[in-house]
Amino acid sequence: MAITTRVRLTPGIMGRLRLASQGLLGPGFESVPEAVRTMTAMQAQDLRAALWAVGQRVPGARVDDVRGALDRAEIVRSWPMRGTLHVLAPEDLKWMLAITSDRLIRGMAGRHRELEIDGRDVEASRDAALELVQGGRSATRQQLFAAFEAAGQSTAGQRGIHLLGMLCQRAWLVQGPLAGNQQLIKAFDEWIPKSRELDRAEGIAELLLRYMLSHGPATERDFAWWSSTPLTEVRTALARVSDQLVGLEFEGATYWLSPATAALLDDGVPGQRTVFALPGFDEFLLGYTDRSLVLAPGDADKVVPGGNGMFKKTIVSGGQVIGTWARAGTGRAGAVVPEPFDAVNGLRPAAQKSFELQAAKYLRFLGG
């Protein structure tokens, strides 16, 4: 349903609504599994950043809480969409892969031809991998690649990681418990013994609904990019679930969000002066195809220098990205250093104090 609000919407208000949807404004989530499940999927190619992204949304969480959830298969880290690692609820992974993997694999066909990977190579790698890990066993990536080599499958020139990715895309393998900052490889159905089953139309509709509930306000094009779903299917799914969402018109586009988040407009959206120290690759910025709502285009290069795909940690104030931050040093002597976009004036005193509280929260999360 669409609503007309008496509040004049601004990018700051829209950004703060997103913070609320994502559990950053308000009470947050009660546990790591709840945070990940409610967020639907959280970008996680940088493991350390992903741990903090989850920890930011769970009051009092420590890094060992998030690592422990991975070790106990309460959450899982895999490639459910866009060929990018995410953390998500384990029972959701298989049905999401059923929606996204075929298109992703077709899109990589040219690269696979360059690497001389065909269906027989994938089958041979699968058989070697399952012989290694079935029966509750785990394998490091090095052990897995050695098994590929023993089966006549070269792992040179990125061939090994592409074979591993294919086996994970087809739900034969999955990344399991942590060993330091690496994850061990497990047999999918042994590590995730219970998976939900949804057909494609039902799955896309659920994925769309959960994305809008956890990421809204967002557009249908945001979701199409995020999930790698064709826009025609997105629009069909939106027709199925739009009665459970609220539509806001802003700058000529319709943004969808949960009724609970939209209700914040009635009394004034909180967080106008709230500051966050978010990790690189956080869903607040990465979860949308158009990031200009919360990051001024002129500042984008300061977050992703040269457009190299590596996102710096961001300072968010009032729903807008106003700078980046970095860790200087390690351990208890380590510091958290703000790098505001306004290099002349820096952070205002109140924002500086709020940032210092965020820095202390981050260090406590790490055990400092």
Side-chain angles (χ1 to χ4, degrees):
M1 59 180 176
I3 66 167
T4 301
T5 174
R6 291 172 294 179
V7 176
R8 186 178 73 84
L9 295 174
T10 65
I13 288 174
M14 297 289 277
R16 298 201 302 275
L17 289 171
R18 285 182 176 176
L19 289 170
S21 291
Q22 293 201 18
L24 289 163
L25 276 179
F29 301 108
E30 292 185 358
S31 68
V32 167
E34 181 194 358
V36 171
R37 185 170 287 104
T38 304
M39 283 293 296
T40 311
M42 301 173 68
Q43 197 141 329
Q45 69 267 53
D46 182 320
L47 177 61
R48 292 182 180 180
L51 297 175
W52 175 227
V54 176
Q56 261 283 36
R57 292 163 168 83
V58 183
R62 299 291 186 266
V63 66
D64 286 345
D65 297 323
V66 190
R67 292 176 65 93
L70 282 166
D71 289 343
R72 295 186 294 272
E74 295 170 349
I75 62 176
V76 66
R77 182 169 173 248
S78 191
W79 293 271
M81 59 193 75
R82 305 197 311 276
T84 301
L85 284 162
H86 289 71
V87 289
L88 65 161
E91 69 272 13
D92 289 331
L93 178 56
K94 184 172 281 190
W95 67 263
M96 287 188 189
L97 288 174
I99 292 171
T100 62
S101 62
D102 283 346
R103 191 179 190 203
L104 176 64
I105 291 170
R106 287 196 303 272
M108 298 179 71
R111 179 59 175 148
H112 288 168
R113 283 193 295 271
E114 292 176 358
L115 294 171
E116 298 182 348
I117 295 174
D118 62 22
R120 289 169 297 181
D121 298 311
V122 174
E123 291 178 1
S125 300
R126 176 201 61 196
D127 293 345
L130 291 179
E131 183 177 355
L132 180 66
V133 300
Q134 278 183 331
R137 297 188 299 272
S138 304
T140 65
R141 185 173 295 185
Q142 291 75 16
Q143 289 170 333
L144 185 70
F145 283 11
F148 290 166
E149 294 279 357
Q153 296 298 319
S154 171
T155 59
Q158 294 190 324
R159 198 171 186 274
I161 191 61
H162 277 267
L163 287 169
L164 171 59
M166 287 279 284
L167 300 186
C168 289
Q169 286 288 320
R170 292 306 189 195
W172 290 316
L173 299 181
V174 67
Q175 294 196 126
L178 289 162
N181 287 322
Q182 299 295 319
Q183 284 185 271
L184 302 177
I185 308 301
K186 305 285 286 187
F188 190 107
D189 289 333
E190 292 180 354
W191 189 243
I192 306 176
K194 295 181 180 180
S195 293
R196 297 179 61 205
E197 294 184 8
L198 289 81
D199 64 32
R200 182 174 179 85
E202 182 183 14
I204 293 173
E206 172 159 336
L207 193 58
L208 170 63
L209 177 61
R210 288 172 60 179
Y211 171 81
M212 295 301 183
L213 294 176
S214 61
H215 288 67
T219 67
E220 59 184 20
R221 291 185 181 276
D222 286 323
F223 173 75
W225 170 82
W226 183 83
S227 63
S228 300
T229 304
L231 199 54
T232 52
E233 290 186 281
V234 172
R235 288 171 174 160
T236 299
L238 184 57
R240 293 180 59 168
V241 301
S242 60
D243 61 340
Q244 301 176 64
L245 298 166
V246 170
L248 292 178
E249 297 299 322
F250 181 67
E251 296 185 346
T254 301
Y255 288 78
W256 299 92
L257 68 165
S258 73
T261 302
L264 296 174
L265 292 165
D266 295 338
D267 299 316
V269 183
Q272 187 171 0
R273 296 179 177 83
T274 305
V275 173
F276 293 97
L278 297 183
F281 305 100
D282 192 88
E283 285 291 311
F284 176 72
L285 185 59
L286 266 288
Y288 311 85
T289 188
D290 180 5
R291 294 154 190 155
S292 63
L293 195 66
V294 300
L295 175 64
D299 292 326
D301 194 59
K302 300 170 186 175
V303 176
V304 193
N308 63 4
M310 298 304 294
F311 283 68
K312 290 187 174 183
K313 308 173 183 70
T314 56
I315 303 172
V316 176
S317 177
Q320 298 291 290
V321 179
I322 64 164
T324 63
W325 61 279
R327 180 84 187 278
T330 58
R332 295 183 181 276
V336 177
V337 181
E339 299 172 350
F341 295 152
D342 186 346
V344 175
N345 299 306
L347 297 177
R348 294 179 178 179
Q352 176 66 34
K353 180 63 176 177
S354 295
F355 178 79
E356 290 170 1
L357 294 174
Q358 280 283 294
K361 177 181 178 181
Y362 176 65
L363 293 175
R364 284 196 304 273
F365 173 77
L366 295 179

